[in-house]
Amino acid sequence: MRRTKSAVLSGKVASRKWLWLCSGVFVAIGLVMIAAWAGFPRKKQTITAILSETGYFEVVPPSTFGGPGTINTIEYLSNGRLELHPTCDIDPMLLTGKIQKSPTVDRDLKQSLEKNLDVSAQVRDKLSAVAGMQQVDSIHLKLENANILLISDESLMSTRNALLKNECEDAVTLNISSGGVVCQTRSVLEADVVYEIKYQNKVSMEERAKLTSEIAAKLDLDAHEGADDKVSGSQLFFGIRLSPNPIVLRSAAGEIKPCTRK
C-alpha cells in the first residue's frame, strides 16, 4: 500500500528550492555588480603614476635637459619626489651616434600616454604661485609623437670615462661628499607636450589669454597661437630613467645610494 508524502515534508523541500533560487539570484546580481564595477571608468591616471609604473620619473616642467648619457645629481625630497640637477657639461659631439631613437614599443604605454591625463601634483605645485589660478577648473596633459631615446651600457661607460676629469670630477666629488647621488641617464621619454586648460565660464577671453601666457612662462612652454587655453612644446623630455648604478669616486666620501626611487 503506497503512503502519501507528508505535506510538511513537501513544504520543507519547497522552502529549500526557494532558498537556493534566491541565493542564485543574489550571486548573479553580485556578479553583475562586480562586472559593472570592473568596467566602470576609473579616475583618470596622472602622468606621474604611469611613468612610475614603467620605471621612469616625471620631468617637471618637460625640458631638453638630462638626456641619455648626461651626468646628473639626484636629490631625494622629503615628499618622496626626485629632483635632477645637471652636474657636468657635455659636448653634444660626444654623444653623436650613441643615442638610439625609436617609437614607444609598448602598446599599453603608448595608449596610456595618448589619453587626456590629469596633470601631476608636481605641475600643480609649479603653478600654485601664478596669480589667478583659482579661475582654472582643470588642466589636462596630452602627449603626442612619443619616442624613446636610449643609450647602451657600453656607451654610458665610454661617455662617463670621457667626462670624469678636471672640473667634472671635482663637481661629482663635491656632490657625493655632500650626500648627493650622482647618476647617468639611461633613457628618456620624449614627446610633443600639450597642456589643455579649462577655465571657469565667467573668465573673459582677455583674462584667459593673459593667464595662459603666464602659465606658459612658468612651465617654460609656448602659448598656442590663436588659442587661449593651450600651452605646448615640441620634442621635450617628460620622463627619465636612470642607470641603476651610481657614479662612485675614490676621492669622494659619503654613503653610496642607488639611482632608484626610495
Side-chain angles (χ1 to χ4, degrees), residues 163-195:
L163 290 173
L164 284 178
K165 55 188 177 183
N166 303 325
E167 288 83 359
C168 175
E169 184 175 354
D170 292 341
V172 171
T173 300
L174 178 63
N175 278 286
I176 295 176
S177 300
S178 301
V181 186
V182 182
C183 311
Q184 271 184 295
T185 302
R186 172 178 278 178
S187 66
V188 299
L189 289 172
E190 173 197 75
D192 298 335
V193 179
V194 180
Y195 289 100

Short mmCIF file of all heavy atoms in Angstrom, two decimals, residues 163-195:
data_model
loop_
_atom_site.label_atom_id
_atom_site.label_comp_id
_atom_site.label_asym_id
_atom_site.label_seq_id
_atom_site.Cartn_x
_atom_site.Cartn_y
_atom_site.Cartn_z
N LEU A 163 84.12 62.01 -19.52
CA LEU A 163 83.72 63.20 -18.77
C LEU A 163 84.39 63.34 -17.41
O LEU A 163 84.65 64.46 -16.95
CB LEU A 163 82.19 63.20 -18.58
CG LEU A 163 81.33 63.43 -19.82
CD1 LEU A 163 79.86 63.23 -19.47
CD2 LEU A 163 81.57 64.82 -20.39
N LEU A 164 84.66 62.22 -16.75
CA LEU A 164 85.12 62.26 -15.37
C LEU A 164 86.59 62.67 -15.25
O LEU A 164 87.47 61.83 -15.01
CB LEU A 164 84.88 60.91 -14.69
CG LEU A 164 83.43 60.62 -14.29
CD1 LEU A 164 83.30 59.25 -13.68
CD2 LEU A 164 82.92 61.70 -13.33
N LYS A 165 86.82 63.95 -15.39
CA LYS A 165 88.16 64.52 -15.20
C LYS A 165 88.01 66.01 -14.95
O LYS A 165 86.95 66.61 -15.20
CB LYS A 165 89.03 64.26 -16.43
CG LYS A 165 88.43 64.74 -17.74
CD LYS A 165 89.27 64.28 -18.92
CE LYS A 165 88.64 64.71 -20.24
NZ LYS A 165 89.41 64.21 -21.40
N ASN A 166 89.05 66.58 -14.41
CA ASN A 166 89.10 68.03 -14.16
C ASN A 166 87.87 68.53 -13.39
O ASN A 166 87.49 67.96 -12.38
CB ASN A 166 89.25 68.78 -15.48
CG ASN A 166 90.49 68.34 -16.24
OD1 ASN A 166 91.50 68.01 -15.63
ND2 ASN A 166 90.41 68.32 -17.57
N GLU A 167 87.21 69.59 -13.91
CA GLU A 167 86.10 70.21 -13.17
C GLU A 167 84.92 69.27 -13.01
O GLU A 167 84.21 69.32 -11.99
CB GLU A 167 85.64 71.49 -13.87
CG GLU A 167 86.59 72.67 -13.76
CD GLU A 167 87.70 72.60 -14.81
OE1 GLU A 167 87.72 71.63 -15.61
OE2 GLU A 167 88.54 73.52 -14.84
N CYS A 168 84.66 68.42 -13.99
CA CYS A 168 83.55 67.47 -13.87
C CYS A 168 83.77 66.53 -12.69
O CYS A 168 82.87 66.29 -11.88
CB CYS A 168 83.38 66.68 -15.17
SG CYS A 168 82.12 65.38 -15.08
N GLU A 169 84.98 66.00 -12.60
CA GLU A 169 85.29 65.10 -11.48
C GLU A 169 85.18 65.83 -10.15
O GLU A 169 84.68 65.28 -9.15
CB GLU A 169 86.70 64.52 -11.65
CG GLU A 169 87.07 63.50 -10.58
CD GLU A 169 88.40 62.84 -10.83
OE1 GLU A 169 89.01 63.10 -11.90
OE2 GLU A 169 88.86 62.07 -9.96
N ASP A 170 85.63 67.08 -10.11
CA ASP A 170 85.52 67.87 -8.87
C ASP A 170 84.06 68.07 -8.48
O ASP A 170 83.69 67.99 -7.30
CB ASP A 170 86.19 69.24 -9.06
CG ASP A 170 87.71 69.13 -9.21
OD1 ASP A 170 88.26 68.08 -8.82
OD2 ASP A 170 88.31 70.09 -9.72
N ALA A 171 83.20 68.35 -9.49
CA ALA A 171 81.78 68.57 -9.21
C ALA A 171 81.12 67.30 -8.69
O ALA A 171 80.31 67.34 -7.76
CB ALA A 171 81.07 69.06 -10.47
N VAL A 172 81.48 66.16 -9.28
CA VAL A 172 80.92 64.88 -8.84
C VAL A 172 81.37 64.59 -7.42
O VAL A 172 80.57 64.18 -6.57
CB VAL A 172 81.35 63.75 -9.79
CG1 VAL A 172 80.97 62.39 -9.21
CG2 VAL A 172 80.70 63.92 -11.16
N THR A 173 82.66 64.79 -7.14
CA THR A 173 83.20 64.56 -5.79
C THR A 173 82.49 65.42 -4.76
O THR A 173 82.11 64.94 -3.68
CB THR A 173 84.71 64.86 -5.77
OG1 THR A 173 85.38 64.00 -6.69
CG2 THR A 173 85.28 64.64 -4.37
N LEU A 174 82.28 66.68 -5.08
CA LEU A 174 81.61 67.60 -4.16
C LEU A 174 80.19 67.16 -3.87
O LEU A 174 79.76 67.16 -2.70
CB LEU A 174 81.61 69.01 -4.76
CG LEU A 174 80.90 70.10 -3.95
CD1 LEU A 174 81.60 70.30 -2.61
CD2 LEU A 174 80.87 71.41 -4.72
N ASN A 175 79.46 66.75 -4.89
CA ASN A 175 78.07 66.34 -4.70
C ASN A 175 77.95 65.06 -3.89
O ASN A 175 77.08 64.93 -3.02
CB ASN A 175 77.38 66.18 -6.06
CG ASN A 175 76.90 67.49 -6.63
OD1 ASN A 175 75.91 68.06 -6.18
ND2 ASN A 175 77.61 67.99 -7.63
N ILE A 176 78.82 64.08 -4.17
CA ILE A 176 78.77 62.82 -3.42
C ILE A 176 79.13 63.07 -1.95
O ILE A 176 78.49 62.56 -1.03
CB ILE A 176 79.73 61.78 -4.03
CG1 ILE A 176 79.26 61.40 -5.44
CG2 ILE A 176 79.80 60.54 -3.14
CD1 ILE A 176 80.20 60.45 -6.17
N SER A 177 80.17 63.89 -1.71
CA SER A 177 80.60 64.18 -0.34
C SER A 177 79.54 64.95 0.44
O SER A 177 79.51 64.92 1.67
CB SER A 177 81.91 64.98 -0.37
OG SER A 177 82.94 64.24 -1.01
N SER A 178 78.65 65.64 -0.30
CA SER A 178 77.57 66.40 0.35
C SER A 178 76.30 65.58 0.53
O SER A 178 75.26 66.11 0.91
CB SER A 178 77.26 67.66 -0.48
OG SER A 178 78.41 68.47 -0.61
N GLY A 179 76.40 64.28 0.23
CA GLY A 179 75.25 63.40 0.42
C GLY A 179 74.41 63.19 -0.82
O GLY A 179 73.34 62.57 -0.75
N GLY A 180 74.84 63.71 -1.96
CA GLY A 180 74.08 63.55 -3.19
C GLY A 180 74.34 62.21 -3.86
O GLY A 180 75.29 61.51 -3.54
N VAL A 181 73.47 61.88 -4.79
CA VAL A 181 73.62 60.67 -5.59
C VAL A 181 73.83 61.12 -7.04
O VAL A 181 72.99 61.82 -7.59
CB VAL A 181 72.37 59.77 -5.52
CG1 VAL A 181 72.62 58.45 -6.23
CG2 VAL A 181 71.97 59.52 -4.07
N VAL A 182 74.96 60.74 -7.62
CA VAL A 182 75.29 61.17 -8.97
C VAL A 182 75.07 60.00 -9.92
O VAL A 182 75.62 58.92 -9.74
CB VAL A 182 76.74 61.68 -9.06
CG1 VAL A 182 77.03 62.17 -10.48
CG2 VAL A 182 76.97 62.81 -8.06
N CYS A 183 74.24 60.22 -10.94
CA CYS A 183 73.81 59.15 -11.83
C CYS A 183 73.86 59.59 -13.29
O CYS A 183 73.89 60.78 -13.59
CB CYS A 183 72.38 58.72 -11.51
SG CYS A 183 72.06 58.42 -9.76
N GLN A 184 73.85 58.60 -14.16
CA GLN A 184 73.72 58.88 -15.59
C GLN A 184 72.32 58.51 -16.05
O GLN A 184 71.72 57.56 -15.55
CB GLN A 184 74.75 58.08 -16.39
CG GLN A 184 76.08 58.77 -16.58
CD GLN A 184 77.02 57.97 -17.46
OE1 GLN A 184 77.44 56.86 -17.10
NE2 GLN A 184 77.37 58.52 -18.60
N THR A 185 71.83 59.26 -17.01
CA THR A 185 70.53 58.95 -17.60
C THR A 185 70.69 57.85 -18.64
O THR A 185 71.52 57.95 -19.53
CB THR A 185 69.93 60.20 -18.27
OG1 THR A 185 69.80 61.23 -17.29
CG2 THR A 185 68.56 59.89 -18.85
N ARG A 186 69.87 56.81 -18.51
CA ARG A 186 69.93 55.70 -19.46
C ARG A 186 68.96 55.90 -20.62
O ARG A 186 69.28 55.62 -21.77
CB ARG A 186 69.60 54.39 -18.73
CG ARG A 186 69.43 53.20 -19.66
CD ARG A 186 69.15 51.93 -18.88
NE ARG A 186 70.38 51.34 -18.38
CZ ARG A 186 70.44 50.24 -17.62
NH1 ARG A 186 69.31 49.66 -17.26
NH2 ARG A 186 71.58 49.76 -17.22
N SER A 187 67.76 56.38 -20.33
CA SER A 187 66.79 56.62 -21.40
C SER A 187 65.81 57.70 -20.99
O SER A 187 65.66 58.01 -19.80
CB SER A 187 66.03 55.32 -21.74
OG SER A 187 65.23 54.90 -20.65
N VAL A 188 65.17 58.30 -21.98
CA VAL A 188 64.15 59.31 -21.73
C VAL A 188 62.95 59.04 -22.61
O VAL A 188 63.06 58.42 -23.68
CB VAL A 188 64.67 60.74 -21.99
CG1 VAL A 188 65.83 61.09 -21.08
CG2 VAL A 188 65.05 60.93 -23.45
N LEU A 189 61.80 59.51 -22.18
CA LEU A 189 60.60 59.52 -23.00
C LEU A 189 60.44 60.93 -23.53
O LEU A 189 60.39 61.89 -22.75
CB LEU A 189 59.37 59.10 -22.18
CG LEU A 189 59.30 57.63 -21.77
CD1 LEU A 189 58.15 57.40 -20.80
CD2 LEU A 189 59.15 56.74 -22.98
N GLU A 190 60.37 61.03 -24.83
CA GLU A 190 60.28 62.33 -25.50
C GLU A 190 58.94 62.43 -26.23
O GLU A 190 58.46 61.44 -26.79
CB GLU A 190 61.43 62.46 -26.50
CG GLU A 190 61.38 63.68 -27.39
CD GLU A 190 62.28 63.53 -28.59
OE1 GLU A 190 61.91 62.79 -29.54
OE2 GLU A 190 63.36 64.15 -28.61
N ALA A 191 58.35 63.61 -26.22
CA ALA A 191 57.07 63.77 -26.92
C ALA A 191 56.78 65.25 -27.13
O ALA A 191 57.43 66.13 -26.54
CB ALA A 191 55.94 63.13 -26.12
N ASP A 192 55.80 65.51 -27.98
CA ASP A 192 55.23 66.85 -28.08
C ASP A 192 54.22 66.97 -26.95
O ASP A 192 53.31 66.13 -26.82
CB ASP A 192 54.54 67.05 -29.43
CG ASP A 192 55.51 66.94 -30.60
OD1 ASP A 192 56.72 67.18 -30.39
OD2 ASP A 192 55.07 66.58 -31.70
N VAL A 193 54.40 67.97 -26.10
CA VAL A 193 53.62 68.11 -24.87
C VAL A 193 52.60 69.23 -25.01
O VAL A 193 52.95 70.34 -25.43
CB VAL A 193 54.56 68.39 -23.68
CG1 VAL A 193 53.76 68.57 -22.40
CG2 VAL A 193 55.59 67.27 -23.53
N VAL A 194 51.35 68.94 -24.68
CA VAL A 194 50.29 69.95 -24.74
C VAL A 194 49.51 69.94 -23.43
O VAL A 194 49.00 68.90 -23.01
CB VAL A 194 49.32 69.69 -25.92
CG1 VAL A 194 48.24 70.77 -25.95
CG2 VAL A 194 50.06 69.64 -27.24
N TYR A 195 49.44 71.10 -22.78
CA TYR A 195 48.59 71.26 -21.60
C TYR A 195 47.32 71.99 -22.03
O TYR A 195 47.39 73.09 -22.59
CB TYR A 195 49.30 72.08 -20.51
CG TYR A 195 50.43 71.36 -19.83
CD1 TYR A 195 51.75 71.60 -20.19
CD2 TYR A 195 50.18 70.43 -18.82
CE1 TYR A 195 52.79 70.95 -19.56
CE2 TYR A 195 51.21 69.77 -18.19
CZ TYR A 195 52.52 70.03 -18.56
OH TYR A 195 53.55 69.38 -17.94
#
